[in-house]
Amino acid sequence: MDNHVNNAREVIFLDPVCSHNIWGGSRLGEEFGYGVEGSDIGECWGISAHPNGDGTVRGGAYDGKKLSELWSGHPELFGNLQYDRYPLLTKIIDAQDDLSIQVHPDDDYAQKNENGSLGKTECWYIMDCAENGTLVAGHNARSREELSRMVEEGRWKELIREIPIKKGDFIQIEPGTVHAIKAHTLILETQQNSDITYRLYDYDRVQANGKKRELHIQKSLDVITVDGEEQPNVVSTCGLPENVLNQIYSCEKYDIFKLTVNKEAVIDQKYPFLAASVLEGEGQIDGSPLGKGDHFIVPAGYGELRISGNMSLILSTVEE
Ligand code: ZN
């Protein structure tokens, strides 16, 4: 039973779900205050209603509810959107080692081959990286035949496309794009609500148990796109105006914004919802304390939102 009246004027804070990964580090526990111990914390699912990591509301009228429950029980908070589940998943990923090189299916392929799952379009905002850091995005095969041959012959160095990155860069990763984060990179990932990944190459690494991690070569080859010319690239988001919602990307799956608060920002929450993550700094949001590592949702109909302090945030929403 839900005895609470709907209060559209309430910011909904979420407690994230963190995971241990062999390539993870200690930053999410130590710098972001998620209360998880270990030097192998790889992912913080900050705003997630996925069964593999369903976030919990912290405080307020919906305290203790899972985000998936909020979505199904209170569609009005999300503008009564015509989606069958909360459409996005926002993560912070701390890679202290190279991640395996992978690719995701699109909605059609996942629907048919992965028990009705959504496909996975994703995008990354680079929160921090090594000097002369790089990431893997795209490949150098010019045809499907060449792609299969290079994979079969293990010509990974030739095949994999690596590009330089800097803090503040943004990149869109379409389904079918070969991609990977390299060691010492911290990113905020916004993606479709899906957990389907095909591992193409794992640098021939052997785990502690003496075995290599499973690869999904056939499924990878099924979904990898061969475009030849159109390769994914990073865009810098540095130098955007402060205290306004800067749209840095828009596609049919999501809209992404960057907000840098310097003293005070007043935002018109006119979207079905705004999912937000604080990457740096601290301050207040309509009277409540807000700081680095906080994840929250501003519901539909909220109207004017006042954020003060010094902070950098990434926000997302979907189109109605
Ligand atoms: Zn991915």
Side-chain angles (χ1 to χ4, degrees), residues 17-320:
V17 179
C18 293
S19 65
H20 297 263
N21 307 78
I22 52 165
W23 44 262
S26 53
R27 296 183 74 170
L28 294 175
E30 287 170 7
E31 277 178 45
F32 289 83
Y34 293 135
V36 283
E37 306 242 327
S39 54
D40 63 343
I41 309 300
E43 300 195 353
C44 157
W45 292 24
I47 307 170
S48 167
H50 194 279
N52 295 352
D54 201 351
T56 308
V57 176
R58 181 180 77 227
Y62 310 104
D63 187 36
K65 280 199 184 299
K66 297 288 183 192
L67 181 55
S68 63
E69 293 177 299
L70 209 57
W71 170 267
S72 52
H74 292 277
E76 74 282 1
L77 297 172
F78 306 88
N80 297 302
L81 285 165
Q82 300 299 306
Y83 288 78
D84 66 351
R85 64 200 100 176
Y86 178 73
L88 302 180
L89 204 173
T90 308
K91 295 178 183 174
I92 299 178
I93 301 179
D94 174 23
Q96 287 305 312
D97 197 358
D98 295 342
L99 266 68
S100 60
I101 293 171
Q102 44 186 255
V103 62
H104 305 298
D106 63 12
D107 289 342
D108 285 347
Y109 190 93
Q111 183 73 40
K112 288 192 198 102
N113 299 286
E114 304 291 349
N115 300 316
S117 171
L118 292 178
K120 190 162 156 187
T121 301
E122 69 189 39
C123 62
W124 300 341
Y125 176 84
I126 312 296
M127 297 168 64
D128 199 11
C129 63
E131 214 177 310
N132 304 314
T134 63
L135 56 75
V136 171
H139 63 78
N140 296 316
R142 283 154 301 182
S143 66
R144 201 149 280 288
E145 295 67 38
E146 191 177 31
L147 172 69
S148 305
R149 201 163 55 242
M150 289 171 97
V151 168
E152 210 172 292
E153 296 170 1
R155 287 151 61 196
W156 303 108
K157 272 221 152 66
E158 261 178 274
L159 177 67
I160 300 308
R161 178 174 175 267
E162 225 173 297
I163 55 175
I165 52 168
K166 290 185 310 299
K167 181 177 175 177
D169 281 350
F170 173 88
I171 186 168
Q172 166 83 349
I173 306 283
E174 296 287 348
T177 301
V178 173
H179 63 281
I181 309 165
K182 307 279 286 184
H184 312 298
T185 310
L186 185 71
I187 65 166
L188 181 117
E189 176 175 281
T190 309
Q191 55 160 97
Q192 285 180 272
N193 181 353
S194 164
D195 201 18
I196 307 290
T197 293
Y198 302 143
R199 193 177 290 132
L200 175 66
Y201 176 54
D202 198 26
Y203 302 95
D204 298 314
R205 285 180 293 199
V206 175
Q207 301 177 92
N209 65 8
K211 292 192 177 124
K212 291 180 180 178
R213 290 197 288 174
E214 188 195 356
L215 300 178
H216 316 95
I217 300 287
Q218 191 49 54
K219 283 182 168 175
S220 295
L221 289 174
D222 281 353
V223 304
I224 293 173
T225 46
V226 181
D227 268 343
E229 278 153 51
E230 255 194 65
Q231 297 277 22
N233 270 313
V234 292
V235 191
S236 174
T237 67
C238 295
L240 292 170
E242 293 177 336
N243 300 324
V244 291
L245 217 44
N246 296 289
Q247 186 172 59
I248 57 175
Y249 198 79
S250 175
C251 66
E252 64 162 351
K253 304 301 183 192
Y254 42 70
D255 292 320
I256 309 291
F257 307 91
K258 182 178 179 180
L259 170 64
T260 306
V261 180
N262 181 3
K263 294 197 178 76
E264 186 175 71
V266 180
I267 304 298
D268 181 16
Q269 201 316 57
K270 57 187 179 185
Y271 306 94
F273 66 88
L274 266 180
S277 304
V278 183
L279 311 186
E280 283 180 301
E282 55 182 4
Q284 290 208 322
I285 180 164
D286 282 341
S288 299
L290 184 66
K292 176 170 175 166
D294 277 335
H295 301 273
F296 59 94
I297 289 175
V298 190
Y302 190 95
E304 198 174 88
L305 176 70
R306 204 167 282 268
I307 308 182
S308 59
N310 276 284
M311 276 175 286
S312 131
L313 297 92
I314 293 289
L315 306 93
S316 52
T317 191
V318 297
E319 271 158 42
E320 281 171 89

